[in-house]
Amino acid sequence: MIKQDQLLWIDGREVAALDGETLEVENPATTQTAFVVARGQGPDIDSAVDAARRAHDHGPWPRMHPRERGRILRAAAEILRSRKESIGEVETACVGRPLREMVQQVGRAPDWLDFFASVAETHEDLVVPASGELMNYVRRVPLGVVGAITPWNHPLLITMKKVAPALAAGNTTVVKPSEVAPVAPLELARALVEAGIPDGVINVVPGFGTDAGKALTEHDRIDRIDLTGGTETGRQVAAAAGRSLIPVQAELGGKAPVLIFDDVPIDVAVAGATFASFVASGQSCIAGTRLLVHERSIDAFVEKLVERTQLIRVGDPMQPEAQMGPVVSQRQLDRILRLVESARAEGARVLCGGERLAGHAFERGYFIAPTVITDVHRDMRIMREEVFGPVVSVQPFADEDEAVALANDADFGLGAAVWTQDLTRAHVVAHRIRSGTVWINDHHRIDPASPWGGFKDSGIGSENGVEAFNDYTAAQSVLVNLSRTPFDWFGSSEELRYS
Ligand code: TXE
C-alpha cells in the first residue's frame, strides 16, 4: 500500500517541506483528493541541489565503476517491477488513465534503468589520432547535477527517461515532478534508495512550476536542465538555461499527423487511427491529432471512424473494462472544450463527442466524449494548437505531395505516422516528414534504445539511446606527451631572442 501522505525525497531521506506546506493531488475520475504531498519551494530546491552537489563533488557515485552503478540501477528496476500494480494504481488515481494502461506502462519503465545500465557498463572511451608524439584519449565524464522537470501525462515513464541515463552516466539529479501527478516519481526515488543508491544522488521535490520549477531552472549550481512540458514552459526554461550557459533538453508540444493512404483496409486504418488519437484520452505529445486521409477512401474511413469512436468504453479508469478515463483536470477539460467550440465557430463539423459526458457514472469526473471533427482548414485554432485531449480532426489529401505538405504544415514536429502497404512510398514519405519520430503502420511505440526528440517547436535535443547517454556527459580530452626529446619552448634558441 502506498501512503496517502507523501514527503519530499532529499539526500536519501523523506522530509517535509521546510515551511510545512502541502499540495493536494486530485483524482480526476472522482474530483476527490487522492494524495497530500509535501510542497517544495525555493528553499527546498536549494537543499536538494546542495545534496546533489555534495553527492556529485564528494560522493562515490560519479567515481563508482559503471558495473557497480549498473548493479544498483538494475536492483531498482526489479523493485519497481515488483510494485507495478500498486504504482499503476497511483498513476491512475493521479492522472485518470485506465489501470490496465498504467500497469503496463509502469511495468515497462524499469527497462530504461536496465538499458542505460548496459550502456554505461559497455561504454568505451576513445583514443583519437592527434598528430605529433602524443597519445590523446577522450573520457566521458558526468556533467554534474542534472535538474529534471517532468509533466503529469506519463509521470513515471517521462521521469525515468531523464533519470535513468543521467544516473547511469554518473550524474546526480534533482527532479521537480508535476504538481498534478508527483507520487510515482517519488516512488522512483524510494526504489533507487532501497536499491542502495548513495545519499543525494536522487532528489525529488514536488511543487508548482512557478516556484519550485522556476527555482530549479534558475539555480546557479546545476549543470544541465531537462524538461518535458508545454512549449511556452520550454521557452522559459531554455531562456533560463541560456542565461546560465548550461545545456538544455526539452521535449515539448506536438500535433502529430497520421497519413492514411487508400491501399490500407478501412478497418486497419480506423484501428490504427483510434489507437493513435485516443490512448491516454489524447493527452500525449505524440497523439495522432491530424488524420490525413486519401480522398478516395475518406468517406468510408470517416463513417467507420465515427462508429468505432462511439464504441470506446469511457468510464471509471480503475475498472478493467474501461478503455478511456477522464482528462486530467478541470483546467484541461475547459481548454479542450474551448478549442472544440472555436472549431465549431470557425465552421468545422463535430461528428461525434465534443462535450462533457453527463449521467451518473460521469457525475464528478472530467470525462469528455471522444471527438471527431471534419471540414477543418489550416488556419483554425484546432489545427494549429495542441489540444491534449480526445479530439481528432480528419482532412482529405489528393496525392503524396499534398499529404506531405499538410503533414509538415505545423509548428511542431515530434511524432508522425504513415499508413500504407506500399513499401517504397512508406519510406519515401517518412523521410519527407519533418518530425523526430515517424511510425510506419503503427503509432506510440517507444523504446529506451530509440531516439526520441522534436523538430521545430517540439523541442531541443533527444532522449533515449546511446546519443542521449553521451549528452549527459562532457568529453574530457587528455593529451599525453610520449616524446623522449627534452623540450624547452623558451630556453634554447638564440635566434628567436629579441635583439
Ligand atoms: O504543462 P506545463 P501543463 C502541453 C499540453 C498541455 C499544456 C499545458 O499542450 O495542454 O502543455 O500543460 C513545470 N519554470 N504539455 O500546464 O505547465 C510544471 O510544474 C519551470 C505537453 O501541465 O508545461 C510541470 O512540472 N517549470 C507535454 C512541467 O513544467 C515550470 C506534457 C510541465 O508543465 C514552469 C505536458 C516554469 N516557468 C503538457 N511552468 C508533453 N510534451 O508531453 C511550468 N513548469
Side-chain angles (χ1 to χ4, degrees):
M1 257 305 278
I2 289 174
K3 284 185 295 179
Q4 300 307 112
D5 293 335
Q6 295 275 330
L7 300 173
L8 318 174
W9 274 99
I10 296 180
D11 209 8
R13 274 166 285 281
E14 284 180 283
V15 294
L18 287 167
D19 64 2
E21 289 272 316
T22 56
L23 60 86
E24 291 187 4
V25 175
E26 183 187 38
N27 180 335
T30 64
T31 70
Q32 282 167 344
T33 300
F35 295 96
V36 177
V37 179
R39 173 187 168 182
Q41 299 187 59
D44 305 287
I45 291 287
D46 281 345
S47 80
V49 173
D50 282 350
R53 196 72 264 168
R54 272 195 310 277
H56 178 268
D57 295 348
H58 309 293
W61 187 250
R63 291 150 203 97
M64 210 178 254
H65 192 283
R67 268 201 297 281
E68 185 58 15
R69 284 206 294 266
R71 196 187 57 70
I72 292 171
L73 298 181
R74 288 180 205 285
E78 281 314 310
I79 292 170
L80 287 170
R81 282 192 186 99
S82 73
R83 296 178 185 163
K84 71 174 182 182
E85 306 286 338
S86 56
I87 301 178
E89 281 179 21
V90 164
E91 295 277 59
T92 295
C94 293
V95 180
R97 283 182 60 184
L99 187 59
R100 60 175 198 154
E101 271 178 33
M102 293 324 287
V103 170
Q104 203 198 355
Q105 189 175 85
V106 170
R108 185 78 206 292
D111 293 357
W112 268 255
L113 291 168
D114 289 340
F115 174 82
F116 283 105
S118 301
V119 174
E121 288 160 356
T122 54
H123 169 78
E124 293 175 353
D125 284 338
L126 284 176
V127 178
V128 296
S131 55
E133 290 181 283
L134 291 170
M135 184 185 61
N136 185 182
Y137 62 92
V138 182
R139 308 168 62 218
R140 303 235 49 129
V141 298
L143 293 173
V145 177
V146 173
I149 297 179
T150 60
W152 46 263
N153 55 336
H154 311 283
L156 181 67
L157 182 66
I158 290 178
T159 306
M160 188 65 101
K161 279 164 60 183
K162 302 182 190 311
V163 165
L167 294 182
N171 299 282
T172 61
T173 52
V174 177
V175 180
K176 204 300 283 173
S178 167
E179 58 276 24
V180 177
V183 182
L186 290 165
E187 290 301 314
L188 170 60
R190 185 189 307 283
L192 285 160
V193 169
E194 284 179 19
I197 207 159
D199 290 351
V201 175
I202 174 87
N203 304 276
V204 181
V205 183
F208 290 89
T210 41
D211 48 51
K214 202 160 173 288
L216 180 58
T217 307
E218 294 176 354
H219 209 286
D220 58 3
R221 303 217 302 148
I222 60 168
D223 301 291
R224 163 172 164 138
I225 190 91
D226 279 22
L227 164 76
T228 297
T231 292
E232 258 331 293
T233 308
R235 290 187 207 285
Q236 290 171 25
V237 169
R243 280 192 294 277
S244 312
L245 294 178
I246 58 169
V248 59
Q249 189 275 330
E251 203 259 63
L252 308 172
K255 195 79 196 161
V258 179
L259 287 66
I260 301 172
F261 288 88
D262 61 345
D263 57 356
V264 183
I266 295 294
D267 283 346
V268 174
V270 167
T274 48
F275 174 59
S277 314
F278 296 134
V279 162
S281 300
Q283 300 168 113
S284 177
C285 45
I286 36 87
T289 56
R290 296 183 295 136
L291 304 179
L292 309 174
V293 185
H294 193 279
E295 61 190 14
R296 267 198 296 272
S297 48
I298 194 164
D299 290 344
F301 174 85
V302 167
E303 192 185 328
K304 189 80 190 171
L305 177 69
V306 170
E307 189 187 310
R308 193 64 202 76
T309 299
Q310 287 173 321
L311 290 174
I312 292 175
R313 287 191 304 275
V314 185
D316 176 358
M318 287 292 181
Q319 298 307 318
E321 61 276 9
Q323 294 177 318
M324 190 189 285
V327 297
V328 77
S329 61
Q330 180 75 51
R331 179 170 156 242
Q332 287 299 112
L333 178 122
D334 291 344
R335 183 185 144 77
I336 295 162
L337 294 182
R338 259 200 320 272
L339 277 166
V340 173
E341 270 328 296
S342 78
R344 272 201 186 98
E346 290 174 292
R349 284 176 65 211
V350 178
L351 299 189
C352 65
E355 64 210 355
R356 187 172 188 166
L357 282 164
H360 85 279
F362 305 115
E363 217 169 5
R364 288 152 64 98
Y366 307 119
F367 294 93
I368 298 185
T371 304
V372 176
I373 302 182
T374 59
D375 296 22
V376 288
H377 63 77
R378 71 174 303 283
D379 300 322
M380 292 177 173
R381 278 185 65 199
I382 197 97
M383 299 305 290
R384 312 303 314 168
E385 296 178 27
E386 186 172 46
V387 181
F388 235 56
V391 178
V392 70
S393 62
V394 193
Q395 250 181 312
F397 65 82
D399 57 23
E400 198 173 294
D401 283 345
E402 191 186 9
V404 170
L406 289 170
N408 286 334
D409 186 16
D411 296 332
F412 300 107
L414 193 57
V418 182
W419 289 78
T420 178
Q421 295 185 341
D422 179 332
L423 193 62
T424 304
R425 177 160 64 196
H427 290 276
V428 169
V429 171
H431 299 180
R432 293 177 69 192
I433 295 176
R434 292 281 301 150
S435 165
T437 298
V438 185
W439 293 275
I440 293 175
N441 297 331
D442 213 333
H443 211 101
H444 287 298
R445 306 300 172 185
I446 181 169
D447 192 275
S450 174
W452 181 274
F455 295 179
K456 303 192 258 183
D457 287 357
S458 288
I460 306 172
S462 184
E463 296 180 316
N464 298 346
V466 175
E467 214 178 300
F469 174 86
N470 286 336
D471 283 349
Y472 284 98
T473 65
Q476 184 189 42
S477 184
V478 181
L479 295 113
V480 186
N481 180 5
L482 296 181
S483 170
R484 290 179 186 278
T485 312
F487 171 75
D488 184 354
W489 182 264
F490 291 109
S492 55
S493 58
E494 288 291 315
E495 61 273 22
L496 282 179
R497 216 175 265 160
Y498 288 107
S499 53

Short mmCIF file of all heavy atoms in Angstrom, two decimals, residues 149-153 158 176-179 207-210 213-214 217 227-231 233 236-237 251-253 284-285 331-332 335 386-388 414, ligand 1:
data_model
loop_
_atom_site.label_atom_id
_atom_site.label_comp_id
_atom_site.label_asym_id
_atom_site.label_seq_id
_atom_site.Cartn_x
_atom_site.Cartn_y
_atom_site.Cartn_z
N ILE A 149 12.57 18.50 -14.98
CA ILE A 149 11.20 18.98 -14.72
C ILE A 149 10.27 18.12 -15.57
O ILE A 149 10.43 18.04 -16.79
CB ILE A 149 11.08 20.47 -15.08
CG1 ILE A 149 12.02 21.26 -14.17
CG2 ILE A 149 9.64 20.95 -14.95
CD1 ILE A 149 12.02 22.74 -14.41
N THR A 150 9.31 17.46 -14.92
CA THR A 150 8.52 16.46 -15.65
C THR A 150 7.03 16.76 -15.56
O THR A 150 6.58 17.45 -14.64
CB THR A 150 8.85 15.04 -15.13
OG1 THR A 150 8.54 14.97 -13.74
CG2 THR A 150 10.31 14.70 -15.35
N PRO A 151 6.25 16.26 -16.52
CA PRO A 151 4.83 16.59 -16.60
C PRO A 151 3.95 15.49 -15.97
O PRO A 151 4.46 14.51 -15.42
CB PRO A 151 4.61 16.66 -18.10
CG PRO A 151 5.48 15.58 -18.63
CD PRO A 151 6.67 15.49 -17.72
N TRP A 152 2.66 15.66 -16.15
CA TRP A 152 1.72 14.76 -15.49
C TRP A 152 1.23 13.64 -16.41
O TRP A 152 0.59 12.71 -15.96
CB TRP A 152 0.49 15.55 -14.99
CG TRP A 152 -0.05 16.50 -16.01
CD1 TRP A 152 0.22 17.84 -16.10
CD2 TRP A 152 -0.92 16.21 -17.12
NE1 TRP A 152 -0.42 18.39 -17.19
CE2 TRP A 152 -1.13 17.42 -17.83
CE3 TRP A 152 -1.56 15.06 -17.57
CZ2 TRP A 152 -1.93 17.50 -18.97
CZ3 TRP A 152 -2.36 15.13 -18.71
CH2 TRP A 152 -2.54 16.34 -19.39
N ASN A 153 1.47 13.72 -17.71
CA ASN A 153 0.75 12.79 -18.59
C ASN A 153 1.30 11.36 -18.56
O ASN A 153 0.53 10.41 -18.68
CB ASN A 153 0.64 13.34 -20.02
CG ASN A 153 1.96 13.71 -20.62
OD1 ASN A 153 2.92 13.99 -19.91
ND2 ASN A 153 2.03 13.71 -21.92
N ILE A 158 8.15 9.33 -18.08
CA ILE A 158 8.91 10.50 -18.54
C ILE A 158 10.03 10.83 -17.53
O ILE A 158 11.14 11.17 -17.93
CB ILE A 158 7.98 11.70 -18.81
CG1 ILE A 158 7.14 11.40 -20.07
CG2 ILE A 158 8.78 13.00 -19.00
CD1 ILE A 158 6.12 12.46 -20.45
N LYS A 176 11.88 17.79 -10.37
CA LYS A 176 10.69 18.54 -9.96
C LYS A 176 9.54 17.97 -10.78
O LYS A 176 9.30 18.37 -11.91
CB LYS A 176 10.90 20.03 -10.27
CG LYS A 176 10.07 20.99 -9.42
CD LYS A 176 8.58 20.81 -9.53
CE LYS A 176 8.01 21.38 -10.82
NZ LYS A 176 6.59 21.05 -11.01
N PRO A 177 8.81 16.98 -10.20
CA PRO A 177 7.72 16.38 -10.97
C PRO A 177 6.53 17.32 -11.02
O PRO A 177 6.46 18.30 -10.28
CB PRO A 177 7.37 15.12 -10.18
CG PRO A 177 7.83 15.38 -8.80
CD PRO A 177 8.93 16.42 -8.86
N SER A 178 5.58 17.00 -11.87
CA SER A 178 4.38 17.83 -11.98
C SER A 178 3.62 17.86 -10.66
O SER A 178 3.46 16.83 -10.00
CB SER A 178 3.48 17.28 -13.08
OG SER A 178 2.21 17.89 -12.99
N GLU A 179 3.11 19.02 -10.32
CA GLU A 179 2.27 19.17 -9.14
C GLU A 179 0.99 18.33 -9.26
O GLU A 179 0.35 18.00 -8.27
CB GLU A 179 1.91 20.65 -8.94
CG GLU A 179 1.18 21.34 -10.10
CD GLU A 179 2.10 21.86 -11.21
OE1 GLU A 179 3.23 21.35 -11.35
OE2 GLU A 179 1.67 22.79 -11.93
N GLY A 207 6.28 20.27 -6.51
CA GLY A 207 5.93 21.67 -6.25
C GLY A 207 5.40 22.26 -7.53
O GLY A 207 5.36 21.57 -8.56
N PHE A 208 5.04 23.53 -7.47
CA PHE A 208 4.47 24.16 -8.66
C PHE A 208 5.57 24.69 -9.58
O PHE A 208 6.68 24.99 -9.13
CB PHE A 208 3.53 25.29 -8.24
CG PHE A 208 2.28 24.77 -7.61
CD1 PHE A 208 2.21 24.56 -6.23
CD2 PHE A 208 1.18 24.46 -8.39
CE1 PHE A 208 1.05 24.05 -5.65
CE2 PHE A 208 0.02 23.96 -7.82
CZ PHE A 208 -0.05 23.75 -6.45
N GLY A 209 5.22 24.78 -10.87
CA GLY A 209 6.19 25.26 -11.86
C GLY A 209 6.66 26.67 -11.56
O GLY A 209 7.85 26.99 -11.68
N THR A 210 5.71 27.51 -11.12
CA THR A 210 6.05 28.92 -10.94
C THR A 210 6.97 29.17 -9.75
O THR A 210 7.60 30.22 -9.69
CB THR A 210 4.77 29.73 -10.74
OG1 THR A 210 3.91 28.98 -9.89
CG2 THR A 210 4.07 30.00 -12.08
N GLY A 213 9.64 24.88 -9.79
CA GLY A 213 10.19 24.66 -11.15
C GLY A 213 11.11 25.80 -11.56
O GLY A 213 12.21 25.59 -12.06
N LYS A 214 10.65 27.02 -11.30
CA LYS A 214 11.44 28.19 -11.66
C LYS A 214 12.74 28.22 -10.84
O LYS A 214 13.82 28.51 -11.37
CB LYS A 214 10.59 29.44 -11.35
CG LYS A 214 10.98 30.65 -12.10
CD LYS A 214 9.80 31.64 -12.12
CE LYS A 214 10.22 32.97 -12.74
NZ LYS A 214 11.09 33.78 -11.91
N THR A 217 15.10 25.73 -12.35
CA THR A 217 15.59 26.18 -13.67
C THR A 217 16.64 27.28 -13.54
O THR A 217 17.58 27.33 -14.31
CB THR A 217 14.39 26.74 -14.46
OG1 THR A 217 13.37 25.77 -14.47
CG2 THR A 217 14.77 27.06 -15.88
N LEU A 227 13.53 19.19 -19.55
CA LEU A 227 12.10 19.46 -19.34
C LEU A 227 11.28 18.63 -20.30
O LEU A 227 11.64 18.50 -21.48
CB LEU A 227 11.83 20.95 -19.61
CG LEU A 227 10.35 21.33 -19.82
CD1 LEU A 227 9.61 21.36 -18.49
CD2 LEU A 227 10.21 22.68 -20.52
N THR A 228 10.16 18.11 -19.83
CA THR A 228 9.08 17.74 -20.74
C THR A 228 7.87 18.55 -20.29
O THR A 228 7.50 18.51 -19.11
CB THR A 228 8.77 16.23 -20.69
OG1 THR A 228 9.93 15.53 -21.13
CG2 THR A 228 7.60 15.87 -21.60
N GLY A 229 7.29 19.30 -21.20
CA GLY A 229 6.16 20.14 -20.81
C GLY A 229 5.62 20.89 -22.00
O GLY A 229 5.92 20.55 -23.15
N GLY A 230 4.87 21.93 -21.74
CA GLY A 230 4.29 22.73 -22.81
C GLY A 230 5.35 23.58 -23.49
O GLY A 230 6.41 23.86 -22.92
N THR A 231 5.05 24.04 -24.71
CA THR A 231 6.05 24.79 -25.48
C THR A 231 6.38 26.12 -24.81
O THR A 231 7.54 26.54 -24.79
CB THR A 231 5.56 24.95 -26.93
OG1 THR A 231 5.57 23.64 -27.51
CG2 THR A 231 6.47 25.84 -27.75
N THR A 233 6.37 26.79 -21.59
CA THR A 233 7.28 26.48 -20.48
C THR A 233 8.68 26.22 -21.03
O THR A 233 9.68 26.66 -20.46
CB THR A 233 6.77 25.23 -19.72
OG1 THR A 233 5.41 25.44 -19.38
CG2 THR A 233 7.57 24.97 -18.46
N GLN A 236 10.59 29.37 -21.59
CA GLN A 236 11.08 30.00 -20.35
C GLN A 236 12.28 29.23 -19.78
O GLN A 236 13.27 29.82 -19.36
CB GLN A 236 9.96 30.02 -19.31
CG GLN A 236 8.86 31.00 -19.69
CD GLN A 236 7.63 30.87 -18.80
OE1 GLN A 236 7.73 30.43 -17.66
NE2 GLN A 236 6.48 31.25 -19.31
N VAL A 237 12.18 27.90 -19.81
CA VAL A 237 13.26 27.09 -19.25
C VAL A 237 14.53 27.24 -20.10
O VAL A 237 15.64 27.40 -19.58
CB VAL A 237 12.81 25.61 -19.13
CG1 VAL A 237 13.98 24.69 -18.82
CG2 VAL A 237 11.73 25.48 -18.06
N GLU A 251 11.48 18.46 -24.32
CA GLU A 251 10.53 17.70 -25.14
C GLU A 251 9.18 18.38 -24.92
O GLU A 251 8.67 18.39 -23.80
CB GLU A 251 10.53 16.24 -24.67
CG GLU A 251 10.06 15.28 -25.72
CD GLU A 251 8.65 14.87 -25.50
OE1 GLU A 251 7.78 15.77 -25.55
OE2 GLU A 251 8.41 13.68 -25.27
N LEU A 252 8.66 19.00 -25.97
CA LEU A 252 7.53 19.92 -25.79
C LEU A 252 6.29 19.45 -26.54
O LEU A 252 6.08 18.24 -26.68
CB LEU A 252 7.98 21.32 -26.20
CG LEU A 252 9.29 21.78 -25.53
CD1 LEU A 252 9.80 23.08 -26.11
CD2 LEU A 252 9.12 21.90 -24.02
N GLY A 253 5.51 20.37 -27.03
CA GLY A 253 4.21 20.01 -27.61
C GLY A 253 4.31 19.29 -28.95
O GLY A 253 5.38 19.18 -29.55
N SER A 284 -1.19 13.12 -24.90
CA SER A 284 0.15 12.66 -25.17
C SER A 284 0.73 13.56 -26.25
O SER A 284 0.03 13.96 -27.19
CB SER A 284 0.07 11.20 -25.65
OG SER A 284 1.35 10.77 -25.98
N CYS A 285 2.02 13.86 -26.09
CA CYS A 285 2.64 14.81 -27.03
C CYS A 285 2.71 14.24 -28.43
O CYS A 285 2.86 15.00 -29.39
CB CYS A 285 4.03 15.19 -26.54
SG CYS A 285 4.97 13.77 -26.01
N ARG A 331 -9.03 22.32 -15.57
CA ARG A 331 -8.34 23.27 -16.45
C ARG A 331 -8.16 22.69 -17.85
O ARG A 331 -8.45 23.35 -18.85
CB ARG A 331 -6.98 23.60 -15.81
CG ARG A 331 -6.16 24.55 -16.60
CD ARG A 331 -4.96 25.02 -15.78
NE ARG A 331 -3.93 25.44 -16.71
CZ ARG A 331 -2.75 24.89 -16.81
NH1 ARG A 331 -2.41 23.87 -16.03
NH2 ARG A 331 -1.87 25.33 -17.68
N GLN A 332 -7.74 21.42 -17.91
CA GLN A 332 -7.54 20.80 -19.22
C GLN A 332 -8.89 20.59 -19.92
O GLN A 332 -9.01 20.79 -21.11
CB GLN A 332 -6.79 19.47 -19.09
CG GLN A 332 -5.31 19.62 -18.76
CD GLN A 332 -4.51 20.40 -19.81
OE1 GLN A 332 -4.05 21.51 -19.57
NE2 GLN A 332 -4.36 19.85 -20.99
N ARG A 335 -10.04 23.79 -21.38
CA ARG A 335 -9.20 24.16 -22.54
C ARG A 335 -9.62 23.34 -23.77
O ARG A 335 -9.76 23.88 -24.87
CB ARG A 335 -7.75 23.88 -22.15
CG ARG A 335 -6.76 24.24 -23.17
CD ARG A 335 -5.35 23.80 -22.73
NE ARG A 335 -4.61 23.37 -23.91
CZ ARG A 335 -4.07 24.21 -24.78
NH1 ARG A 335 -4.16 25.50 -24.58
NH2 ARG A 335 -3.45 23.76 -25.85
N GLU A 386 -1.92 22.65 -29.79
CA GLU A 386 -2.01 21.31 -29.21
C GLU A 386 -3.27 21.24 -28.36
O GLU A 386 -3.48 22.09 -27.49
CB GLU A 386 -0.76 21.06 -28.34
CG GLU A 386 -0.70 19.66 -27.81
CD GLU A 386 0.62 19.36 -27.11
OE1 GLU A 386 1.08 20.18 -26.31
OE2 GLU A 386 1.18 18.28 -27.38
N VAL A 387 -4.13 20.24 -28.62
CA VAL A 387 -5.39 20.14 -27.87
C VAL A 387 -5.18 19.38 -26.56
O VAL A 387 -5.69 19.72 -25.52
CB VAL A 387 -6.48 19.45 -28.72
CG1 VAL A 387 -7.79 19.37 -27.94
CG2 VAL A 387 -6.68 20.18 -30.03
N PHE A 388 -4.40 18.32 -26.61
CA PHE A 388 -4.13 17.48 -25.44
C PHE A 388 -5.43 16.92 -24.84
O PHE A 388 -5.69 17.03 -23.65
CB PHE A 388 -3.33 18.26 -24.39
CG PHE A 388 -2.07 17.56 -23.99
CD1 PHE A 388 -1.13 17.19 -24.94
CD2 PHE A 388 -1.82 17.24 -22.65
CE1 PHE A 388 0.04 16.53 -24.58
CE2 PHE A 388 -0.65 16.58 -22.27
CZ PHE A 388 0.28 16.23 -23.24
N LEU A 414 7.11 16.41 -33.65
CA LEU A 414 7.56 15.39 -32.70
C LEU A 414 7.31 13.99 -33.23
O LEU A 414 8.24 13.21 -33.41
CB LEU A 414 6.82 15.61 -31.38
CG LEU A 414 7.34 14.87 -30.15
CD1 LEU A 414 8.80 15.20 -29.89
CD2 LEU A 414 6.50 15.24 -28.93
O1 TXE B 1 2.26 21.94 -18.70
P1 TXE B 1 3.47 22.71 -18.09
P2 TXE B 1 0.72 21.91 -18.23
C1 TXE B 1 1.34 20.69 -23.07
C2 TXE B 1 -0.10 20.35 -23.39
C3 TXE B 1 -0.84 20.91 -22.23
C4 TXE B 1 -0.04 22.15 -21.95
C5 TXE B 1 -0.17 22.66 -20.54
O2 TXE B 1 -0.49 21.04 -24.55
O3 TXE B 1 -2.17 21.21 -22.56
O4 TXE B 1 1.30 21.80 -22.19
O5 TXE B 1 0.02 21.61 -19.61
C6 TXE B 1 6.58 22.79 -14.85
N1 TXE B 1 9.53 27.00 -14.92
N2 TXE B 1 2.05 19.60 -22.45
O6 TXE B 1 0.28 23.24 -17.74
O7 TXE B 1 2.99 23.87 -17.27
C7 TXE B 1 5.31 22.22 -14.30
O8 TXE B 1 5.23 22.42 -12.90
C8 TXE B 1 9.85 25.73 -14.63
C9 TXE B 1 2.83 18.77 -23.33
O9 TXE B 1 0.55 20.81 -17.30
O10 TXE B 1 4.44 22.95 -19.17
C10 TXE B 1 5.45 20.76 -14.70
O11 TXE B 1 6.32 20.09 -13.80
N3 TXE B 1 8.95 24.72 -14.64
C11 TXE B 1 3.65 17.83 -22.62
C12 TXE B 1 6.09 20.85 -16.08
O12 TXE B 1 6.73 22.14 -16.11
C13 TXE B 1 7.69 25.01 -14.99
C14 TXE B 1 3.33 17.38 -21.28
C15 TXE B 1 5.11 20.76 -17.25
O13 TXE B 1 4.04 21.66 -17.03
C16 TXE B 1 7.31 26.32 -15.33
C17 TXE B 1 2.57 18.32 -20.52
C18 TXE B 1 8.29 27.34 -15.28
N4 TXE B 1 8.01 28.62 -15.59
C19 TXE B 1 1.94 19.37 -21.12
N5 TXE B 1 5.98 26.30 -15.64
C20 TXE B 1 4.41 16.81 -23.41
N6 TXE B 1 5.41 17.24 -24.16
O14 TXE B 1 4.12 15.63 -23.32
C21 TXE B 1 5.57 25.03 -15.51
N7 TXE B 1 6.58 24.24 -15.10
#
